[in-house]
């Protein structure tokens, strides 16, 4: 059991403390010579019955005599003894008592035994408490620190020493700010002060506890604290239990990082944006710096080469540190021995726990090398971005200065969220590829800048949709017609993507074909409706189950308008399309209200033509619904803004077109739907440039036509065209005389070309044929076709008009 250093303890909680323990004195022969009041209380014997008697005969039961003799023998050999013995109470019952015994030698050489006893239960409980306290300081895996009322450290146990690497005596007498870094010491002292002042315990609070001697080592501890008080309530200090939870904290942080990566990476279908999201997530929870470098074809939406060869382009860098040698948008030169090159070509994660930024890693000049070394990077993880078996690029994660080196678990986490990011980047790349293809197809199918036309001055805008829906099927067209007229078209195919763009091209080609027939607007829209229905039927019949609904032409909207600069007359028809807006030179802006008509592709419903006359200089504005829906879908507000732009148009038509887009499209906002805008300023041909005659249907009509033509061309200064034109007019009038009834109208129009028109009441179509050498006729239209640049026929309700065009001679 060992020899106690003293019989009576100074601790009031000790059962052997003076005033709590029972005491007795035995002489060298085992006779009781002293007996305390406390002994009488515990065992029932008064002093007069005990003193002078042998302790074994009085206090020890026969069955316990052997145990008592062994204890006595130990005491004789060691000079002291501590243990538990069963003793006999005065009433005969057996009582377990704890004893401390010590031999005292008197001056005369005699010996006496001093004994202090207490109930065994109290002794055992006290010993257990002492063992617990001893265990907390010497064997507990949980740290323990005790602070005095002035918040200096009084004592720490060995667990704190082991976790921190600082000797247990080092913090004693010091405050936390003397051995913790400033960022961590402040909160630590504030928590101790709060417990000290309020008495409120602190339970399992995590905090950072980096030591001053090793600030780069991350250390997270879970702290519980309580205020210590004596029996009178006096505050003695604060005790803290400290558990090192760094590994648990890192594991939780890694899991949080993976969850955050799933939520934050891939929010858009933009390659650069996805790369930036990856870099920001990595820096937020794993690295001090992160760069994302992609193979250049990937940034353009193209398929990366199978060999992963080619230049790397820095797409994202976080944080935006100017001292990093290569910034966003720069090409990254790599040498074969660099970790990045090894990662790229071996397609595996490379972990450099401790590194020196070797100059040969990058083909850098000395200035860049010195700047890079100043960052203090010391640990690196390089992860390949691989999707569908193709390497898209690499992610480099760096730790600098006081951060701890990367571990294998960090590399595993980096590989996990980089794999997810690679899929998102590849999806964005493929979307970019499809978007680019659709946009290229769309632009190739849209008309180029309209040439100068005698009927109108035109300005137009096309803005492709951005984001996930992709390019739509919006289109516009300006089609020159016979008689100096012009057709203005705006349409919108349902759906997005390359299929919508291809369908748009088919519809635009069909509109041009129908326009060449010089049909009325309602007739053009009706035939276009039949075509859309036919296309939808064909696609539905040929679908193999792998096509989505977006890949089928389900319908379209269209507005078709024809303007005549001679009569100032405009006729239009629409199929489910937004109505055009007209602004006149006097500042009035009117939203026309032509019959809406059903969208193309529904079939079975009629379309109507809407007619109006436009003053010279009027603006006819045609657009698709994307223009009105661009600003938060508030169509009324968009129409109001459109009207304001048209009330006070800019000096040039192109500037007006630009102002409309600026007013209706929010600043720095990319449209989610295609926008097509067409603004036409009407022109009127001067009366002196148009000549018209009505000829009687007589045999002399052709001769009269020649005379009138020659005279007018001479007046216009076009005498060199007189012979050709009078021959053309003569042949056309002759055909009318032969095959038509009623009067014949001859009209000459001088614009950028010379137009000759002959109208009659017949609906019979003239036919160009090759006459045999024996035929007496049939050569008239052949001659007309050879002598003119273009010719054709258009039909009206009253008959038909055969027209020709000839280029004017150089001025």
């Amino acid at each position: 059991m060992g020899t106690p250093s003293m019989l009576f303890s100074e601790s009031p909680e000790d059962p052997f403390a003076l005033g709590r323990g029972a005491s007795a004195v035995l002489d060298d022969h085992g006779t009781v010579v002293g007996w305390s009041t406390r002994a009488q209380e515990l065992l029932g014997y008064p002093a007069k019955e005990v003193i002078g008697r042998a302790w074994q005969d009085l206090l020890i039961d026969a069955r316990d005599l052997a145990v008592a003799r062994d204890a006595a023998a130990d005491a004789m050999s060691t000079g002291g003894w501590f243990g538990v013995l069963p003793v006999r109470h005065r009433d005969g019952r057996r009582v377990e008592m704890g004893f401390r015994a010590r031999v005292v030698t008197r001056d005369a050489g005699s010996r006496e035994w001093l004994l202090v006893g207490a109930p065994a239960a109290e002794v055992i409980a006290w010993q257990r408490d002492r063992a617990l306290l001893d265990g907390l300081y010497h064997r507990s895996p949980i740290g323990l620190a005790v602070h005095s009322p002035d918040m200096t450290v009084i004592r720490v146990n060995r667990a704190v020493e082991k976790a921190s690497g600082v000797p247990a005596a080092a913090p004693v007498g010091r405050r936390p700010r003397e051995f913790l870094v400033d960022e961590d010491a402040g909160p630590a002292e504030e928590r101790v002060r709060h417990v000290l002042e309020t008495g409120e315990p602190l339970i399992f609070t995590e905090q950072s506890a980096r030591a001053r001697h090793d600030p780069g080592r991350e250390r997270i501890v879970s702290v519980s604290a309580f205020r210590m008080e004596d029996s009178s309530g006096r505050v003695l200090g604060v005790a803290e239990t400290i558990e090192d939870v760094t590994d648990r904290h890192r594991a939780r942080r890694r899991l949080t990082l993976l969850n955050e990566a799933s939520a934050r990476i891939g929010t858009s279908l933009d390659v650069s944006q996805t790369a930036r999201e990856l870099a920001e997530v990595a820096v937020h929870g794993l690295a001090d710096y992160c760069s994302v470098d992609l193979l250049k074809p990937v940034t353009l939406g193209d398929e990366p080469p199978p060999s992963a060869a080619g230049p790397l382009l820095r797409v994202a860098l976080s944080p935006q540190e100017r001292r990093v040698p290569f910034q966003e948008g720069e090409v990254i030169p790599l040498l074969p021995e660099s970790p990045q090159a090894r990662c790229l070509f071996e397609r595996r994660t490379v972990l450099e726990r401790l590194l020196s930024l070797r100059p040969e890693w990058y083909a850098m000049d000395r200035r860049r090398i010195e700047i890079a070394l100043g960052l203090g990077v010391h640990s690196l993880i390089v992860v390949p971005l691989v999707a569908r078996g193709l390497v898209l690029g690499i992610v480099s994660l760096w730790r600098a200065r006081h951060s701890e080196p990367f571990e294998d678990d960090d590399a595993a986490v980096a590989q996990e969220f980089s794999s997810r990011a690679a899929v998102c980047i590849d999806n964005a790349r493929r979307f970019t590829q499809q978007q680019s293809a659709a946009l290229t197809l769309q632009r190739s199918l849209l008309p180029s800048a309209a040439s100068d036309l005698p009927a109108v001055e035109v300005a137009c805008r096309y803005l492709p949709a951005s984001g996930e829906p992709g390019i739509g099927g919006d289109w516009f067209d300006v089609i020159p017609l016979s008689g100096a007229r012009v057709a203005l078209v705006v349409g919108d195919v349902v759906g997005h993507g390359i299929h919508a763009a291809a369908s748009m091209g088919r519809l635009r080609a069909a509109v041009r074909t129908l326009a060449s027939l010089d049909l009325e607007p309602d007739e053009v829209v009706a035939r276009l409706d039949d075509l859309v229905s036919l296309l939808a039927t064909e696609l539905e019949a040929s679908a193999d189950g792998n096509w989505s609904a977006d890949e089928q032409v389900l319908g379209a909207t269209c507005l078709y308008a024809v303007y005549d600069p001679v009569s100032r007359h405009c006729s239009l028809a629409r199929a489910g399309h937004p109505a055009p807006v007209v602004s006149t030179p006097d500042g009035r802006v009117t939203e026309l209200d032509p019959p809406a008509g059903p969208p193309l592709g529904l079939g079975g419903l009629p379309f109507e033509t809407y007619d109006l006359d436009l003053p010279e200089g009027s603006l006819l504005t045609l657009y698709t619904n994307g223009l009105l829906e661009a600003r938060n879908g508030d169509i009324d507000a968009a129409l109001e803004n459109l009207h304001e732009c048209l009330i006070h148009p800019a000096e040039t038509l192109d500037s007006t077109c630009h102002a409309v887009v600026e007013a209706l499209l929010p600043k720095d906002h990319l449209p989610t739907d295609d926008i097509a805008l067409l603004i036409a300023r009407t022109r009127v041909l001067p009366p002196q440039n148009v000549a018209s005659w009505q000829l009687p249907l007589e045999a002399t009509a052709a001769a009269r036509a020649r005379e009138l033509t020659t005279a007018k061309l001479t007046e216009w200064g076009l005498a060199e065209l007189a012979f050709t034109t009078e021959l053309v007019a003569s042949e056309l009038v002759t055909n009318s005389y032969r095959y038509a009834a009623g009067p014949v109208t001859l009209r000459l129009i001088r614009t950028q070309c010379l137009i000759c028109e002959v109208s009659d009441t017949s609906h019979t179509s003239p036919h160009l044929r090759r006459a045999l050498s024996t035929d007496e006729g049939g050569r008239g239209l052949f001659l007309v076709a050879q002598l003119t640049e273009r010719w054709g026929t258009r039909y009206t309700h009253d008959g038909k008009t055969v027209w020709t065009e000839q280029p004017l001679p150089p001025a």
Side-chain angles (χ1 to χ4, degrees):
M1 293 289 182
T3 303
S5 60
M6 57 184 176
L7 291 179
F8 292 101
S9 171
E10 295 180 358
S11 173
E13 290 82 11
D14 191 340
F16 296 116
L18 187 64
R20 292 191 61 186
S23 61
V25 181
L26 307 178
D27 64 11
D28 198 28
H29 301 288
T31 302
V32 179
V33 296
W35 191 257
S36 69
T37 304
R38 179 62 175 159
Q40 179 178 344
E41 293 175 358
L42 292 176
L43 297 178
Y45 295 102
K48 62 182 180 179
E49 294 184 10
V50 176
I51 294 175
R53 299 179 65 179
W55 69 279
Q56 296 99 326
D57 298 337
L58 179 67
L59 299 175
I60 304 301
D61 194 271
R63 55 183 170 176
D64 300 320
L65 188 58
V67 176
R69 287 174 177 172
D70 291 340
D74 289 341
M76 291 292 290
S77 62
T78 60
W81 183 82
F82 169 76
V84 176
L85 280 177
V87 294
R88 187 169 51 219
H89 194 273
R90 188 172 185 273
D91 59 10
R93 56 189 172 89
R94 202 160 172 259
V95 178
E96 296 282 342
M97 294 284 290
F99 288 99
R100 282 180 181 175
R102 183 178 180 183
V103 178
V104 179
T105 303
R106 300 298 183 184
D107 295 338
S110 62
R111 293 186 303 179
E112 291 183 345
W113 291 90
L114 300 182
L115 286 83
V116 179
E122 294 183 14
V123 173
I124 293 173
W126 180 77
Q127 284 295 108
R128 188 184 299 118
D129 292 344
R130 288 294 302 269
L132 174 61
L133 187 61
D134 181 71
L136 285 176
Y137 278 106
H138 296 92
R139 289 177 291 278
S140 172
I142 298 177
L144 179 65
V146 180
H147 299 262
S148 67
D150 63 357
M151 293 193 300
T152 58
V153 177
I154 301 173
R155 188 176 180 184
V156 298
N157 67 353
R158 291 180 180 176
V160 173
E161 176 181 343
K162 182 178 178 180
S164 64
V166 178
V172 175
R174 302 164 66 189
R175 299 181 65 166
R177 67 177 62 257
E178 298 180 55
F179 53 86
L180 295 179
V181 297
D182 293 339
E183 295 84 351
D184 300 342
E189 288 194 2
E190 184 59 35
R191 291 186 179 96
V192 173
R193 181 181 293 106
H194 179 77
V195 174
L196 196 62
E197 293 176 353
T198 66
E200 297 177 0
L202 192 68
I203 302 175
F204 300 129
T205 300
E206 290 191 4
Q207 63 186 55
S208 178
R210 291 168 295 166
R212 280 188 177 275
H213 73 278
D214 189 12
R217 181 186 176 191
E218 181 184 36
R219 183 166 173 258
I220 306 298
V221 295
S222 176
V223 178
S224 295
F226 61 92
R227 189 169 70 183
M228 300 183 299
E229 302 174 357
D230 62 13
S231 56
S232 65
R234 181 168 59 94
V235 176
L236 302 177
V238 172
E240 290 182 313
T241 59
I242 303 170
E243 181 182 3
D244 191 334
V245 295
T246 305
D247 291 339
R248 185 173 68 193
H249 175 78
R250 289 175 178 173
R252 185 168 62 244
R253 183 174 62 194
R254 290 169 183 138
L255 182 59
T256 301
L257 179 63
L258 291 178
N259 292 335
E260 185 179 359
S262 300
R264 291 184 55 187
I265 299 176
T267 60
S268 70
L269 287 174
D270 181 84
V271 172
S272 299
Q273 178 63 25
T274 304
R276 279 191 289 270
E277 291 169 350
L278 168 59
E280 290 170 359
V281 167
V283 168
H284 179 69
L286 191 61
D288 293 320
Y289 300 98
C290 178
S291 60
V292 181
D293 307 324
L294 301 179
L295 292 167
K296 197 168 185 179
V298 176
T299 64
L300 302 176
D302 298 331
E303 194 88 358
S307 61
L312 280 174
L313 191 67
R314 178 142 296 172
V315 180
L317 174 65
S318 184
Q320 295 294 329
E321 172 59 67
R322 291 181 300 174
R323 293 179 296 169
V324 173
F326 298 98
Q327 299 293 312
E328 291 181 3
E330 294 185 353
V331 175
I332 309 300
L334 295 179
L335 295 180
E337 58 268 30
S338 68
Q340 284 84 354
R342 285 189 281 122
C343 170
L344 190 64
F345 296 113
E346 296 175 13
R347 300 188 179 192
R348 66 177 181 87
T349 299
V350 175
L351 170 60
E352 295 276 352
R353 288 183 174 84
L354 295 174
L355 59 89
S356 59
L357 190 61
R358 299 191 299 272
E360 63 270 16
W361 279 12
Y362 298 107
M364 295 189 293
D365 55 48
R366 174 53 55 182
R367 182 185 62 84
R368 292 196 185 194
I369 292 173
E370 292 175 352
I371 293 175
L373 290 173
L375 293 173
V377 295
H378 59 79
S379 191
L380 168 68
I381 297 176
V382 188
V383 184
L385 292 170
V386 182
R388 297 186 301 110
L390 296 174
V391 178
L392 308 177
I394 56 174
V395 181
S396 299
L397 299 97
W398 312 82
R399 282 187 177 172
R401 300 197 182 280
H402 299 309
S403 298
E404 289 188 1
F406 285 116
E407 302 173 349
D408 290 334
D409 289 342
D410 296 322
V413 171
Q415 186 171 350
E416 177 66 25
F417 71 70
S418 295
S419 297
R420 300 182 186 182
V423 174
C424 296
I425 289 175
D426 188 56
N427 289 339
R429 178 198 64 79
R430 297 170 71 182
F431 173 77
T432 300
Q433 184 181 44
Q434 183 181 20
Q435 188 89 333
S436 177
L439 183 59
T440 300
L441 176 62
Q442 181 90 318
R443 293 194 182 280
S444 67
L445 295 175
L446 289 173
S448 57
S451 57
D452 189 23
L453 300 174
V456 291
E457 175 192 357
V458 175
C460 52
R461 287 288 187 280
Y462 172 73
L463 300 176
S466 62
E468 296 183 13
I471 302 299
D474 291 19
W475 92 93
F476 62 88
D477 209 345
V478 180
I479 308 172
L481 300 178
S482 63
R485 297 170 306 135
V486 66
L488 306 173
V489 191
V490 171
D492 184 0
V493 173
V494 172
H496 293 85
I498 196 168
H499 297 279
S503 300
M504 176 275 292
R506 300 177 73 175
L507 293 184
R508 177 173 174 260
V511 171
R512 278 194 164 258
T513 301
L514 295 173
S516 67
L517 299 177
D518 269 319
L519 302 176
E520 293 293 324
D522 59 339
E523 183 69 16
V524 171
V525 175
R527 296 196 182 187
L528 200 60
D529 177 62
D530 294 338
L531 175 63
V532 172
S533 299
L534 179 62
L535 291 177
T537 302
E538 290 178 354
L539 285 175
E540 184 178 356
S542 61
D544 57 3
N546 295 324
W547 291 21
S548 67
D550 290 341
E551 295 172 341
Q552 301 184 25
V553 179
L554 300 179
T557 65
C558 179
L559 189 146
Y560 182 86
V562 175
Y563 174 70
D564 187 346
V566 177
S567 63
R568 299 184 295 107
H569 182 73
C570 179
S571 58
L572 56 92
R574 61 174 176 151
H577 200 82
V581 175
V582 171
S583 58
T584 54
D586 58 5
R588 289 184 300 170
V589 178
T590 306
E591 183 180 359
L592 301 182
D593 188 24
L600 300 175
L602 294 183
L605 297 174
F607 299 93
E608 299 180 43
T609 297
Y610 180 84
D611 297 293
L612 72 158
D613 292 329
L614 297 175
E616 183 176 8
S618 299
L619 297 184
L620 181 61
T621 303
L622 289 68
Y623 50 87
T624 56
N625 59 352
L627 182 68
L628 299 183
E629 297 172 356
R631 189 179 289 274
N632 302 323
D634 191 343
I635 296 180
D636 293 335
L639 280 173
E640 183 178 349
N641 292 338
L642 176 61
H643 288 190
E644 290 178 358
C645 293
L646 297 178
I647 289 176
H648 306 289
E651 184 175 346
T652 65
L653 198 59
D654 191 73
S655 299
T656 301
C657 200
H658 179 75
V660 170
V661 173
E662 288 288 316
L664 273 70
L665 188 65
K667 189 175 182 181
D668 300 327
H669 175 78
L670 298 175
T672 56
D673 193 10
D674 288 36
I675 294 176
L677 173 65
L678 177 64
I679 302 180
R681 177 179 283 123
T682 61
R683 293 170 173 168
V684 176
L685 291 181
Q688 60 269 23
N689 285 9
V690 180
S692 179
W693 305 276
Q694 189 169 2
L695 304 176
L697 202 62
E698 299 174 351
T700 59
R704 179 60 178 164
R706 289 194 293 271
E707 293 175 2
L708 294 173
T709 299
T710 301
K712 180 53 68 175
L713 293 183
T714 301
E715 178 185 337
W716 284 347
L718 301 175
E720 59 185 285
L721 295 179
F723 176 77
T724 302
T725 308
E726 70 176 20
L727 179 58
V728 169
S730 176
E731 290 295 335
L732 295 180
V733 170
T734 299
N735 281 343
S736 296
Y737 171 73
R738 288 180 177 178
Y739 304 111
V744 176
T745 301
L746 171 66
R747 187 169 72 164
L748 298 177
I749 303 174
R750 183 181 66 177
T751 60
Q752 290 96 333
C753 61
L754 179 61
I755 300 173
C756 178
E757 296 181 343
V758 174
S759 304
D760 56 43
T761 58
S762 172
H763 287 87
T764 303
S765 175
H767 179 61
L768 177 65
R769 65 185 180 89
R770 183 178 296 277
L772 300 176
S773 58
T774 56
D775 290 344
E776 295 183 359
R779 299 178 179 83
L781 280 181
F782 179 77
L783 289 175
V784 169
Q786 296 301 311
L787 295 175
T788 60
E789 190 173 70
R790 292 199 314 149
W791 76 280
T793 305
R794 67 173 180 269
Y795 295 89
T796 64
H797 297 294
D798 300 327
K800 70 174 183 299
T801 298
V802 181
W803 54 269
T804 65
E805 291 182 1
Q806 302 174 71
L808 297 179

